[in-house]
Amino acid sequence: MGVLPQNTSKSEKTFVPVQALPTLKSGSRLIKKAVAIACSAAILLPMAIVPAQAQRGKLPLVRDAEVEALLKDYAKPIYKVAGISNSEPQIILVNDKSFNAFVPDSRRMFINIGVIMEAEAPGEVIGVIAHETGHIAGRHLVRLRSAAANAQIVSVIGLILGAGAAAAGAAAGSGDAASGGAAAALGAGSVGKRTLLNYQRGEEAAADRAALRYLNATGQSARGMLKTFQRMSEQQMFSRKFADPYAQSHPMAQERFNGLLNEAQKSKYFNQPEDYVLQYRHDQARAKLFAFTSHPSATLRAYPRSDKSPAAQYARAIAAMQSRGKGAVKEIDALIRTQPNNPYYYELKGQALLEGGDPKRAIAPFRKALSFKPNEPQFLVWLGYALVGANEQSYLPEAEKVLKRAIQMDENSGIAYSQLAIAHGRQGERAEADLATAKGLMVRGDFEAAKRYAARAQKSLKRGSPAWLQADDIVAYKTPKLPRNR
């Protein structure tokens, strides 16, 4: 898109450490085995977990300056009233069309693009951000680890008692006692799990209430948040009939809606209209995400030519780029004429030219985008990409400078590192090219390949220099051992 696909290597699963289990004085092999079983079945935390593919560096992330800027503006007042504006958790876009968001720690909030694409108004997304902020500000992630440990303790005790009953029954020659003990042992994990789930449901409700407070404190309506629960409730209409409410990690959507409605309606801001500027930007972001993630024909059906809104024109220009590459420049130029000061339209033009095989012509629109937002790292990456792609030796020093500046502002851009490596290589700076490649591979999570390039770079770098030390850090890096899914 202005969207740069990214991978992450920094996500980690939360799990309960062995130290969280109680100290058991008995040296019985049976007790030790029960503890080992409980440890091996450690309860993973659904609310605080990064999907499995993230463990292998494959969480499908996307980067888009326009959408990220919008989400930051949504979150800023919420973070302030929640008291976390100093840390300001980073909002990361996940390339998934389902309506979902999660926080793995206090520093990051992952939001699926489906949240923006399904939400018709800014308030719906702001409600999601407010809820996730409630988890962060309430330190639910820290307490949830403790709750999970307690849930495991319940499971361990149940396993020990059950296994003990089975052993006693067997010694007494009682088959009934033995089978009863086995049943108790099998049920112990369920008891612990339900203890944890009950705790989680309480924390979800607490986050909902916190979200209401944040919205009220920032003078915003909770209507969007309620609409989200209504949508979820409709989706759960059939399944909730058969669902065990005590086996859910979240309260059912209708229950959450009912619990919030009266309090939300008491707010003097409940009927506050959506901010029209945010609504405009939201419509633009929705159209952009739809067009970049759909077939051009689907975009034209969703945004027909009879629709003259700015969002529809934006979507059709992206669809044209998707199907015709640089052949769509005329449509993009027409779009630019409607808003000559919109940096994202120039970004789109540069992307069309770059991906259409004309990087030299892409340089000018990327420079124009930067003239409006000079500190946007993604624009810097695009410009550096075009300068390298132009394949002219005179452009390479500027490309190197631009890409290094982009990396200083956003060190997780794998594309910036790869283009910087090319710029170094074409200037005969082989060691620097290898080091840049190694850093890019680290960002992507390919640690072994990164170590090979870093080791090669070290051979040509001055020992003890900053570059040598950076390479040495990569060579010495220990890949974390993450728990497997069970």
Side-chain angles (χ1 to χ4, degrees), residues 96-100 111-122 124-125 128 224 227-232 234-235 279 282-283 285-287 289-290 303:
D96 187 322
K97 291 187 178 181
S98 63
F99 197 103
N100 195 23
I111 295 181
N112 286 5
I113 61 172
V115 171
I116 302 160
M117 293 172 70
E118 284 192 38
E120 296 178 355
E124 296 173 53
V125 181
V128 170
K227 187 171 182 179
T228 295
F229 290 139
Q230 276 186 313
R231 182 192 298 113
M232 291 166 61
E234 289 168 2
Q235 293 170 351
Q279 182 68 60
H282 182 79
D283 292 342
R286 287 183 77 202
L289 290 171
F290 185 93
Y303 295 94

Side-chain angles (χ1 to χ4, degrees), residues 28 79 82 84 132 142 146 162 168 186 207 243 293 304 375 407 421 448 459 467:
S28 162
Y79 287 170
I84 61 171
E132 299 302 331
V142 174
S146 175
L186 289 172
T293 58
N375 294 318
I407 289 166
E448 293 308 311
K459 293 176 182 178

Side-chain angles (χ1 to χ4, degrees), residues 18-42:
V18 175
Q19 294 92 316
L21 295 170
T23 301
L24 300 172
K25 294 182 180 180
S26 171
S28 162
R29 290 179 61 192
L30 191 59
I31 291 177
K32 288 180 179 178
K33 185 175 181 181
V35 174
I37 291 170
C39 290
S40 69

Side-chain angles (χ1 to χ4, degrees), residues 83-236:
I84 61 171
S85 56
N86 289 337
S87 58
E88 193 166 323
Q90 180 186 9
I91 296 180
I92 301 169
L93 282 169
V94 181
N95 190 16
D96 187 322
K97 291 187 178 181
S98 63
F99 197 103
N100 195 23
F102 56 93
V103 286
D105 51 44
S106 62
R107 296 175 290 106
R108 294 168 295 178
M109 183 184 298
F110 290 80
I111 295 181
N112 286 5
I113 61 172
V115 171
I116 302 160
M117 293 172 70
E118 284 192 38
E120 296 178 355
E124 296 173 53
V125 181
I126 293 170
V128 170
I129 292 173
H131 172 87
E132 299 302 331
T133 299
H135 283 308
I136 295 172
R139 301 186 77 246
H140 294 174
L141 303 179
V142 174
R143 293 209 298 271
L144 189 56
R145 293 179 177 90
S146 175
N150 290 335
Q152 274 196 306
I153 291 170
V154 171
S155 296
V156 169
I157 293 171
L159 282 166
I160 293 168
L161 292 176
S174 170
D176 289 341
S179 62
L186 289 172
S190 176
V191 173
K193 182 178 179 182
R194 284 178 179 244
T195 300
L196 175 62
L197 291 174
N198 182 57
Y199 177 85
Q200 284 184 270
R201 289 194 297 274
E203 294 292 44
E204 290 300 325
D208 288 343
R209 291 192 297 272
L212 279 184
R213 292 198 304 273
Y214 302 153
L215 293 170
N216 198 53
T218 54
Q220 299 182 86
S221 173
R223 289 196 320 276
M225 186 176 171
L226 291 172
K227 187 171 182 179
T228 295
F229 290 139
Q230 276 186 313
R231 182 192 298 113
M232 291 166 61
S233 179
E234 289 168 2
Q235 293 170 351
Q236 292 175 348

Side-chain angles (χ1 to χ4, degrees), residues 444-482:
R444 294 187 179 95
D446 191 347
F447 304 128
E448 293 308 311
K451 290 184 178 194
R452 289 196 298 272
Y453 276 95
R456 193 167 77 178
Q458 270 191 309
K459 293 176 182 178
S460 302
L461 292 169
K462 183 180 179 181
R463 187 177 184 84
S465 67
W468 187 93
L469 291 171
Q470 289 170 22
D472 195 53
D473 285 342
I474 295 173
V475 171
Y477 179 75
K478 300 293 185 184
T479 305
K481 292 183 179 180
L482 299 170

